[in-house]
Amino acid sequence: MKYICVYCGSRPGNDAVYVEAARCLAASMVRRNLGLVYGGASIGVMGAVADEVLRLGGSAVGVIPESLMTQEVAHSGLTELLVTSGMHERKTLMADRADGFVALPGGLGTLEEIFEILTWAQLRFHAKPCGLLNVNGYFDHLIAFLDHAVDQQFVSPAHRDYLRVGETPDSLLDELALG
Ligand code: AMP
């Protein structure tokens, strides 16, 4: 079974559309027999994607640092919950277990995680596909900024293209050639 690492908010956002999109992504993944790797929390968009994968009979693997177990309310019903000693180990394990990466709307943690994995692609530490699910235009300004960074020649067009963007889960997973 292939796994997708999903980075997303520990909060639900201010519109039900975000949690709904997380459920739609979960359903597309289960239909394609793709397992979930994520940060292991039961709250926010993170909890919604895991709950839906599990409800549909899919596989959901959480990876959480011991110090965040209570703060982020670790999910108690996962297929597998891996507890790490720190954040770096968590991120490395998530990346190692995944065959591709998708970011849903989220906050600073989500942004840091997807950009870190993009920089690892840029450095050729991995060659796994990376994408943004642009729910409700949430990432429009970020995408425009990346194009500005290319325009100003701080990011090469080839590296910019490592980040694929989809408006729906199925179009994004097709674009990433996953499932
Ligand atoms: P957020 O998008 O800020 O709601 O956070 C989503 C996930 O990112 C949570 O599992 C956080 O533990 C994780 N996270 C938060 N801050 C960081 C960070 N500095 N580096 C990596 N992950 C983080």
PDB file of all heavy atoms in Angstrom, residues 124-156:
ATOM      1  N   ARG A 124      17.310  17.321  -3.649  1.00  0.00           N
ATOM      2  CA  ARG A 124      17.315  15.937  -4.128  1.00  0.00           C
ATOM      3  C   ARG A 124      17.462  14.908  -3.002  1.00  0.00           C
ATOM      4  O   ARG A 124      18.011  13.825  -3.195  1.00  0.00           O
ATOM      5  CB  ARG A 124      18.407  15.709  -5.180  1.00  0.00           C
ATOM      6  CG  ARG A 124      18.221  16.574  -6.407  1.00  0.00           C
ATOM      7  CD  ARG A 124      19.231  16.198  -7.495  1.00  0.00           C
ATOM      8  NE  ARG A 124      19.204  17.146  -8.590  1.00  0.00           N
ATOM      9  CZ  ARG A 124      18.284  17.151  -9.564  1.00  0.00           C
ATOM     10  NH1 ARG A 124      17.333  16.255  -9.571  1.00  0.00           N
ATOM     11  NH2 ARG A 124      18.329  18.055 -10.501  1.00  0.00           N
ATOM     12  N   PHE A 125      16.988  15.258  -1.807  1.00  0.00           N
ATOM     13  CA  PHE A 125      16.955  14.269  -0.716  1.00  0.00           C
ATOM     14  C   PHE A 125      15.832  13.261  -0.968  1.00  0.00           C
ATOM     15  O   PHE A 125      15.817  12.175  -0.423  1.00  0.00           O
ATOM     16  CB  PHE A 125      16.738  14.935   0.646  1.00  0.00           C
ATOM     17  CG  PHE A 125      17.898  15.785   1.115  1.00  0.00           C
ATOM     18  CD1 PHE A 125      17.769  16.605   2.227  1.00  0.00           C
ATOM     19  CD2 PHE A 125      19.130  15.770   0.468  1.00  0.00           C
ATOM     20  CE1 PHE A 125      18.825  17.387   2.678  1.00  0.00           C
ATOM     21  CE2 PHE A 125      20.191  16.541   0.904  1.00  0.00           C
ATOM     22  CZ  PHE A 125      20.039  17.359   2.012  1.00  0.00           C
ATOM     23  N   HIS A 126      14.833  13.670  -1.756  1.00  0.00           N
ATOM     24  CA  HIS A 126      13.780  12.740  -2.169  1.00  0.00           C
ATOM     25  C   HIS A 126      13.247  13.210  -3.514  1.00  0.00           C
ATOM     26  O   HIS A 126      13.543  14.337  -3.953  1.00  0.00           O
ATOM     27  CB  HIS A 126      12.645  12.673  -1.127  1.00  0.00           C
ATOM     28  CG  HIS A 126      11.776  13.896  -1.080  1.00  0.00           C
ATOM     29  ND1 HIS A 126      10.723  14.091  -1.949  1.00  0.00           N
ATOM     30  CD2 HIS A 126      11.825  15.006  -0.299  1.00  0.00           C
ATOM     31  CE1 HIS A 126      10.155  15.257  -1.688  1.00  0.00           C
ATOM     32  NE2 HIS A 126      10.808  15.834  -0.691  1.00  0.00           N
ATOM     33  N   ALA A 127      12.472  12.323  -4.159  1.00  0.00           N
ATOM     34  CA  ALA A 127      11.866  12.687  -5.452  1.00  0.00           C
ATOM     35  C   ALA A 127      10.388  12.333  -5.424  1.00  0.00           C
ATOM     36  O   ALA A 127       9.833  11.839  -6.404  1.00  0.00           O
ATOM     37  CB  ALA A 127      12.591  11.965  -6.580  1.00  0.00           C
ATOM     38  N   LYS A 128       9.750  12.579  -4.283  1.00  0.00           N
ATOM     39  CA  LYS A 128       8.339  12.231  -4.125  1.00  0.00           C
ATOM     40  C   LYS A 128       7.485  13.459  -4.458  1.00  0.00           C
ATOM     41  O   LYS A 128       7.883  14.585  -4.166  1.00  0.00           O
ATOM     42  CB  LYS A 128       8.074  11.776  -2.682  1.00  0.00           C
ATOM     43  CG  LYS A 128       8.886  10.539  -2.289  1.00  0.00           C
ATOM     44  CD  LYS A 128       8.758  10.224  -0.806  1.00  0.00           C
ATOM     45  CE  LYS A 128       9.638   9.047  -0.409  1.00  0.00           C
ATOM     46  NZ  LYS A 128       9.615   8.781   1.055  1.00  0.00           N
ATOM     47  N   PRO A 129       6.303  13.243  -5.058  1.00  0.00           N
ATOM     48  CA  PRO A 129       5.490  14.384  -5.477  1.00  0.00           C
ATOM     49  C   PRO A 129       4.887  15.154  -4.298  1.00  0.00           C
ATOM     50  O   PRO A 129       4.574  14.578  -3.254  1.00  0.00           O
ATOM     51  CB  PRO A 129       4.388  13.728  -6.315  1.00  0.00           C
ATOM     52  CG  PRO A 129       4.316  12.322  -5.837  1.00  0.00           C
ATOM     53  CD  PRO A 129       5.692  11.938  -5.396  1.00  0.00           C
ATOM     54  N   CYS A 130       4.746  16.452  -4.504  1.00  0.00           N
ATOM     55  CA  CYS A 130       4.249  17.361  -3.460  1.00  0.00           C
ATOM     56  C   CYS A 130       3.130  18.224  -4.032  1.00  0.00           C
ATOM     57  O   CYS A 130       3.257  18.750  -5.143  1.00  0.00           O
ATOM     58  CB  CYS A 130       5.343  18.324  -2.999  1.00  0.00           C
ATOM     59  SG  CYS A 130       6.853  17.523  -2.446  1.00  0.00           S
ATOM     60  N   GLY A 131       2.048  18.400  -3.272  1.00  0.00           N
ATOM     61  CA  GLY A 131       0.955  19.220  -3.788  1.00  0.00           C
ATOM     62  C   GLY A 131       0.205  19.979  -2.715  1.00  0.00           C
ATOM     63  O   GLY A 131       0.254  19.645  -1.532  1.00  0.00           O
ATOM     64  N   LEU A 132      -0.482  21.020  -3.186  1.00  0.00           N
ATOM     65  CA  LEU A 132      -1.365  21.818  -2.337  1.00  0.00           C
ATOM     66  C   LEU A 132      -2.792  21.579  -2.769  1.00  0.00           C
ATOM     67  O   LEU A 132      -3.084  21.656  -3.971  1.00  0.00           O
ATOM     68  CB  LEU A 132      -1.139  23.313  -2.548  1.00  0.00           C
ATOM     69  CG  LEU A 132       0.071  24.038  -1.999  1.00  0.00           C
ATOM     70  CD1 LEU A 132      -0.051  25.521  -2.349  1.00  0.00           C
ATOM     71  CD2 LEU A 132       0.182  23.839  -0.500  1.00  0.00           C
ATOM     72  N   LEU A 133      -3.684  21.327  -1.828  1.00  0.00           N
ATOM     73  CA  LEU A 133      -5.112  21.298  -2.153  1.00  0.00           C
ATOM     74  C   LEU A 133      -5.657  22.694  -1.831  1.00  0.00           C
ATOM     75  O   LEU A 133      -5.784  23.068  -0.666  1.00  0.00           O
ATOM     76  CB  LEU A 133      -5.819  20.209  -1.345  1.00  0.00           C
ATOM     77  CG  LEU A 133      -7.287  19.988  -1.720  1.00  0.00           C
ATOM     78  CD1 LEU A 133      -7.443  19.631  -3.197  1.00  0.00           C
ATOM     79  CD2 LEU A 133      -7.892  18.883  -0.871  1.00  0.00           C
ATOM     80  N   ASN A 134      -5.914  23.432  -2.883  1.00  0.00           N
ATOM     81  CA  ASN A 134      -6.250  24.850  -2.721  1.00  0.00           C
ATOM     82  C   ASN A 134      -7.749  25.043  -2.442  1.00  0.00           C
ATOM     83  O   ASN A 134      -8.474  25.599  -3.264  1.00  0.00           O
ATOM     84  CB  ASN A 134      -5.813  25.611  -3.971  1.00  0.00           C
ATOM     85  CG  ASN A 134      -5.877  27.111  -3.773  1.00  0.00           C
ATOM     86  OD1 ASN A 134      -5.829  27.596  -2.636  1.00  0.00           O
ATOM     87  ND2 ASN A 134      -5.989  27.853  -4.861  1.00  0.00           N
ATOM     88  N   VAL A 135      -8.139  24.612  -1.246  1.00  0.00           N
ATOM     89  CA  VAL A 135      -9.556  24.668  -0.858  1.00  0.00           C
ATOM     90  C   VAL A 135      -9.996  26.118  -0.704  1.00  0.00           C
ATOM     91  O   VAL A 135      -9.364  26.889   0.027  1.00  0.00           O
ATOM     92  CB  VAL A 135      -9.747  23.952   0.507  1.00  0.00           C
ATOM     93  CG1 VAL A 135     -11.213  23.965   0.916  1.00  0.00           C
ATOM     94  CG2 VAL A 135      -9.180  22.550   0.469  1.00  0.00           C
ATOM     95  N   ASN A 136     -11.072  26.483  -1.399  1.00  0.00           N
ATOM     96  CA  ASN A 136     -11.658  27.809  -1.174  1.00  0.00           C
ATOM     97  C   ASN A 136     -10.676  28.940  -1.500  1.00  0.00           C
ATOM     98  O   ASN A 136     -10.776  30.023  -0.929  1.00  0.00           O
ATOM     99  CB  ASN A 136     -12.071  27.888   0.319  1.00  0.00           C
ATOM    100  CG  ASN A 136     -13.236  28.786   0.567  1.00  0.00           C
ATOM    101  OD1 ASN A 136     -14.006  29.066  -0.347  1.00  0.00           O
ATOM    102  ND2 ASN A 136     -13.377  29.253   1.796  1.00  0.00           N
ATOM    103  N   GLY A 137      -9.682  28.672  -2.339  1.00  0.00           N
ATOM    104  CA  GLY A 137      -8.682  29.702  -2.668  1.00  0.00           C
ATOM    105  C   GLY A 137      -7.763  30.041  -1.506  1.00  0.00           C
ATOM    106  O   GLY A 137      -7.063  31.061  -1.534  1.00  0.00           O
ATOM    107  N   TYR A 138      -7.729  29.164  -0.472  1.00  0.00           N
ATOM    108  CA  TYR A 138      -6.948  29.467   0.740  1.00  0.00           C
ATOM    109  C   TYR A 138      -5.488  29.788   0.424  1.00  0.00           C
ATOM    110  O   TYR A 138      -4.878  30.653   1.057  1.00  0.00           O
ATOM    111  CB  TYR A 138      -7.030  28.283   1.716  1.00  0.00           C
ATOM    112  CG  TYR A 138      -6.237  28.496   2.989  1.00  0.00           C
ATOM    113  CD1 TYR A 138      -6.682  29.377   3.972  1.00  0.00           C
ATOM    114  CD2 TYR A 138      -5.024  27.837   3.201  1.00  0.00           C
ATOM    115  CE1 TYR A 138      -5.952  29.586   5.128  1.00  0.00           C
ATOM    116  CE2 TYR A 138      -4.291  28.035   4.352  1.00  0.00           C
ATOM    117  CZ  TYR A 138      -4.753  28.920   5.320  1.00  0.00           C
ATOM    118  OH  TYR A 138      -4.032  29.132   6.468  1.00  0.00           O
ATOM    119  N   PHE A 139      -4.908  29.084  -0.568  1.00  0.00           N
ATOM    120  CA  PHE A 139      -3.480  29.262  -0.842  1.00  0.00           C
ATOM    121  C   PHE A 139      -3.196  30.254  -1.978  1.00  0.00           C
ATOM    122  O   PHE A 139      -2.055  30.365  -2.418  1.00  0.00           O
ATOM    123  CB  PHE A 139      -2.837  27.907  -1.177  1.00  0.00           C
ATOM    124  CG  PHE A 139      -2.727  26.974   0.009  1.00  0.00           C
ATOM    125  CD1 PHE A 139      -3.421  25.768   0.039  1.00  0.00           C
ATOM    126  CD2 PHE A 139      -1.911  27.286   1.087  1.00  0.00           C
ATOM    127  CE1 PHE A 139      -3.304  24.894   1.120  1.00  0.00           C
ATOM    128  CE2 PHE A 139      -1.782  26.418   2.177  1.00  0.00           C
ATOM    129  CZ  PHE A 139      -2.483  25.220   2.184  1.00  0.00           C
ATOM    130  N   ASP A 140      -4.211  30.954  -2.459  1.00  0.00           N
ATOM    131  CA  ASP A 140      -4.008  31.844  -3.614  1.00  0.00           C
ATOM    132  C   ASP A 140      -2.842  32.821  -3.421  1.00  0.00           C
ATOM    133  O   ASP A 140      -2.020  33.008  -4.322  1.00  0.00           O
ATOM    134  CB  ASP A 140      -5.278  32.668  -3.899  1.00  0.00           C
ATOM    135  CG  ASP A 140      -6.366  31.845  -4.587  1.00  0.00           C
ATOM    136  OD1 ASP A 140      -6.100  30.688  -4.969  1.00  0.00           O
ATOM    137  OD2 ASP A 140      -7.495  32.375  -4.727  1.00  0.00           O
ATOM    138  N   HIS A 141      -2.781  33.447  -2.237  1.00  0.00           N
ATOM    139  CA  HIS A 141      -1.725  34.446  -2.020  1.00  0.00           C
ATOM    140  C   HIS A 141      -0.349  33.795  -1.936  1.00  0.00           C
ATOM    141  O   HIS A 141       0.657  34.364  -2.367  1.00  0.00           O
ATOM    142  CB  HIS A 141      -1.998  35.256  -0.749  1.00  0.00           C
ATOM    143  CG  HIS A 141      -3.202  36.128  -0.850  1.00  0.00           C
ATOM    144  ND1 HIS A 141      -4.465  35.686  -0.553  1.00  0.00           N
ATOM    145  CD2 HIS A 141      -3.343  37.403  -1.270  1.00  0.00           C
ATOM    146  CE1 HIS A 141      -5.334  36.663  -0.761  1.00  0.00           C
ATOM    147  NE2 HIS A 141      -4.683  37.715  -1.204  1.00  0.00           N
ATOM    148  N   LEU A 142      -0.318  32.582  -1.378  1.00  0.00           N
ATOM    149  CA  LEU A 142       0.956  31.852  -1.271  1.00  0.00           C
ATOM    150  C   LEU A 142       1.458  31.472  -2.666  1.00  0.00           C
ATOM    151  O   LEU A 142       2.646  31.603  -2.971  1.00  0.00           O
ATOM    152  CB  LEU A 142       0.752  30.601  -0.421  1.00  0.00           C
ATOM    153  CG  LEU A 142       2.004  29.823  -0.073  1.00  0.00           C
ATOM    154  CD1 LEU A 142       2.858  30.601   0.914  1.00  0.00           C
ATOM    155  CD2 LEU A 142       1.644  28.462   0.516  1.00  0.00           C
ATOM    156  N   ILE A 143       0.555  31.021  -3.510  1.00  0.00           N
ATOM    157  CA  ILE A 143       0.913  30.635  -4.879  1.00  0.00           C
ATOM    158  C   ILE A 143       1.411  31.879  -5.633  1.00  0.00           C
ATOM    159  O   ILE A 143       2.435  31.829  -6.334  1.00  0.00           O
ATOM    160  CB  ILE A 143      -0.307  29.986  -5.577  1.00  0.00           C
ATOM    161  CG1 ILE A 143      -0.659  28.664  -4.888  1.00  0.00           C
ATOM    162  CG2 ILE A 143      -0.038  29.787  -7.064  1.00  0.00           C
ATOM    163  CD1 ILE A 143      -2.070  28.166  -5.156  1.00  0.00           C
ATOM    164  N   ALA A 144       0.723  32.989  -5.445  1.00  0.00           N
ATOM    165  CA  ALA A 144       1.143  34.235  -6.102  1.00  0.00           C
ATOM    166  C   ALA A 144       2.526  34.649  -5.592  1.00  0.00           C
ATOM    167  O   ALA A 144       3.376  35.109  -6.371  1.00  0.00           O
ATOM    168  CB  ALA A 144       0.120  35.336  -5.832  1.00  0.00           C
ATOM    169  N   PHE A 145       2.768  34.464  -4.299  1.00  0.00           N
ATOM    170  CA  PHE A 145       4.086  34.814  -3.761  1.00  0.00           C
ATOM    171  C   PHE A 145       5.178  33.936  -4.356  1.00  0.00           C
ATOM    172  O   PHE A 145       6.270  34.420  -4.695  1.00  0.00           O
ATOM    173  CB  PHE A 145       4.111  34.715  -2.224  1.00  0.00           C
ATOM    174  CG  PHE A 145       5.479  35.002  -1.693  1.00  0.00           C
ATOM    175  CD1 PHE A 145       5.949  36.309  -1.626  1.00  0.00           C
ATOM    176  CD2 PHE A 145       6.334  33.972  -1.332  1.00  0.00           C
ATOM    177  CE1 PHE A 145       7.247  36.581  -1.207  1.00  0.00           C
ATOM    178  CE2 PHE A 145       7.629  34.226  -0.908  1.00  0.00           C
ATOM    179  CZ  PHE A 145       8.086  35.548  -0.845  1.00  0.00           C
ATOM    180  N   LEU A 146       4.910  32.646  -4.511  1.00  0.00           N
ATOM    181  CA  LEU A 146       5.914  31.747  -5.101  1.00  0.00           C
ATOM    182  C   LEU A 146       6.233  32.177  -6.533  1.00  0.00           C
ATOM    183  O   LEU A 146       7.394  32.149  -6.956  1.00  0.00           O
ATOM    184  CB  LEU A 146       5.405  30.301  -5.088  1.00  0.00           C
ATOM    185  CG  LEU A 146       5.445  29.610  -3.723  1.00  0.00           C
ATOM    186  CD1 LEU A 146       4.793  28.247  -3.818  1.00  0.00           C
ATOM    187  CD2 LEU A 146       6.880  29.483  -3.231  1.00  0.00           C
ATOM    188  N   ASP A 147       5.204  32.583  -7.273  1.00  0.00           N
ATOM    189  CA  ASP A 147       5.436  33.049  -8.639  1.00  0.00           C
ATOM    190  C   ASP A 147       6.264  34.342  -8.626  1.00  0.00           C
ATOM    191  O   ASP A 147       7.129  34.546  -9.481  1.00  0.00           O
ATOM    192  CB  ASP A 147       4.100  33.231  -9.372  1.00  0.00           C
ATOM    193  CG  ASP A 147       3.414  31.885  -9.614  1.00  0.00           C
ATOM    194  OD1 ASP A 147       4.137  30.852  -9.663  1.00  0.00           O
ATOM    195  OD2 ASP A 147       2.184  31.839  -9.736  1.00  0.00           O
ATOM    196  N   HIS A 148       6.029  35.174  -7.628  1.00  0.00           N
ATOM    197  CA  HIS A 148       6.832  36.391  -7.454  1.00  0.00           C
ATOM    198  C   HIS A 148       8.296  36.018  -7.162  1.00  0.00           C
ATOM    199  O   HIS A 148       9.224  36.629  -7.704  1.00  0.00           O
ATOM    200  CB  HIS A 148       6.240  37.210  -6.304  1.00  0.00           C
ATOM    201  CG  HIS A 148       7.041  38.412  -5.922  1.00  0.00           C
ATOM    202  ND1 HIS A 148       7.243  39.493  -6.762  1.00  0.00           N
ATOM    203  CD2 HIS A 148       7.715  38.710  -4.785  1.00  0.00           C
ATOM    204  CE1 HIS A 148       7.989  40.393  -6.150  1.00  0.00           C
ATOM    205  NE2 HIS A 148       8.286  39.937  -4.960  1.00  0.00           N
ATOM    206  N   ALA A 149       8.484  34.998  -6.314  1.00  0.00           N
ATOM    207  CA  ALA A 149       9.854  34.565  -5.982  1.00  0.00           C
ATOM    208  C   ALA A 149      10.577  34.040  -7.221  1.00  0.00           C
ATOM    209  O   ALA A 149      11.786  34.261  -7.384  1.00  0.00           O
ATOM    210  CB  ALA A 149       9.800  33.492  -4.885  1.00  0.00           C
ATOM    211  N   VAL A 150       9.841  33.372  -8.113  1.00  0.00           N
ATOM    212  CA  VAL A 150      10.440  32.913  -9.382  1.00  0.00           C
ATOM    213  C   VAL A 150      10.775  34.130 -10.239  1.00  0.00           C
ATOM    214  O   VAL A 150      11.887  34.241 -10.774  1.00  0.00           O
ATOM    215  CB  VAL A 150       9.464  31.978 -10.141  1.00  0.00           C
ATOM    216  CG1 VAL A 150       9.981  31.671 -11.546  1.00  0.00           C
ATOM    217  CG2 VAL A 150       9.258  30.686  -9.353  1.00  0.00           C
ATOM    218  N   ASP A 151       9.824  35.048 -10.319  1.00  0.00           N
ATOM    219  CA  ASP A 151      10.008  36.264 -11.109  1.00  0.00           C
ATOM    220  C   ASP A 151      11.257  37.034 -10.651  1.00  0.00           C
ATOM    221  O   ASP A 151      12.004  37.586 -11.467  1.00  0.00           O
ATOM    222  CB  ASP A 151       8.745  37.120 -10.958  1.00  0.00           C
ATOM    223  CG  ASP A 151       8.758  38.314 -11.867  1.00  0.00           C
ATOM    224  OD1 ASP A 151       8.957  38.104 -13.070  1.00  0.00           O
ATOM    225  OD2 ASP A 151       8.597  39.445 -11.357  1.00  0.00           O
ATOM    226  N   GLN A 152      11.483  37.048  -9.344  1.00  0.00           N
ATOM    227  CA  GLN A 152      12.640  37.768  -8.788  1.00  0.00           C
ATOM    228  C   GLN A 152      13.910  36.906  -8.779  1.00  0.00           C
ATOM    229  O   GLN A 152      14.939  37.303  -8.247  1.00  0.00           O
ATOM    230  CB  GLN A 152      12.307  38.236  -7.359  1.00  0.00           C
ATOM    231  CG  GLN A 152      11.154  39.241  -7.286  1.00  0.00           C
ATOM    232  CD  GLN A 152      11.428  40.523  -8.058  1.00  0.00           C
ATOM    233  OE1 GLN A 152      12.405  41.214  -7.764  1.00  0.00           O
ATOM    234  NE2 GLN A 152      10.586  40.829  -9.047  1.00  0.00           N
ATOM    235  N   GLN A 153      13.809  35.717  -9.337  1.00  0.00           N
ATOM    236  CA  GLN A 153      14.941  34.801  -9.519  1.00  0.00           C
ATOM    237  C   GLN A 153      15.573  34.293  -8.219  1.00  0.00           C
ATOM    238  O   GLN A 153      16.770  34.057  -8.145  1.00  0.00           O
ATOM    239  CB  GLN A 153      15.996  35.433 -10.438  1.00  0.00           C
ATOM    240  CG  GLN A 153      15.407  35.727 -11.807  1.00  0.00           C
ATOM    241  CD  GLN A 153      16.396  36.298 -12.802  1.00  0.00           C
ATOM    242  OE1 GLN A 153      17.605  36.356 -12.543  1.00  0.00           O
ATOM    243  NE2 GLN A 153      15.897  36.727 -13.931  1.00  0.00           N
ATOM    244  N   PHE A 154      14.706  34.169  -7.183  1.00  0.00           N
ATOM    245  CA  PHE A 154      15.184  33.503  -5.964  1.00  0.00           C
ATOM    246  C   PHE A 154      14.797  32.027  -5.948  1.00  0.00           C
ATOM    247  O   PHE A 154      15.329  31.256  -5.167  1.00  0.00           O
ATOM    248  CB  PHE A 154      14.632  34.199  -4.712  1.00  0.00           C
ATOM    249  CG  PHE A 154      15.356  35.480  -4.405  1.00  0.00           C
ATOM    250  CD1 PHE A 154      14.755  36.710  -4.642  1.00  0.00           C
ATOM    251  CD2 PHE A 154      16.658  35.466  -3.911  1.00  0.00           C
ATOM    252  CE1 PHE A 154      15.428  37.892  -4.376  1.00  0.00           C
ATOM    253  CE2 PHE A 154      17.341  36.644  -3.649  1.00  0.00           C
ATOM    254  CZ  PHE A 154      16.723  37.862  -3.878  1.00  0.00           C
ATOM    255  N   VAL A 155      13.838  31.669  -6.784  1.00  0.00           N
ATOM    256  CA  VAL A 155      13.416  30.267  -6.924  1.00  0.00           C
ATOM    257  C   VAL A 155      13.440  29.945  -8.410  1.00  0.00           C
ATOM    258  O   VAL A 155      12.965  30.749  -9.222  1.00  0.00           O
ATOM    259  CB  VAL A 155      11.985  30.063  -6.373  1.00  0.00           C
ATOM    260  CG1 VAL A 155      11.512  28.628  -6.601  1.00  0.00           C
ATOM    261  CG2 VAL A 155      11.919  30.404  -4.873  1.00  0.00           C
ATOM    262  N   SER A 156      14.023  28.784  -8.760  1.00  0.00           N
ATOM    263  CA  SER A 156      14.049  28.426 -10.181  1.00  0.00           C
ATOM    264  C   SER A 156      12.661  27.936 -10.604  1.00  0.00           C
ATOM    265  O   SER A 156      11.926  27.356  -9.785  1.00  0.00           O
ATOM    266  CB  SER A 156      15.093  27.343 -10.441  1.00  0.00           C
ATOM    267  OG  SER A 156      14.582  26.092 -10.035  1.00  0.00           O
TER     268      SER A 156
END
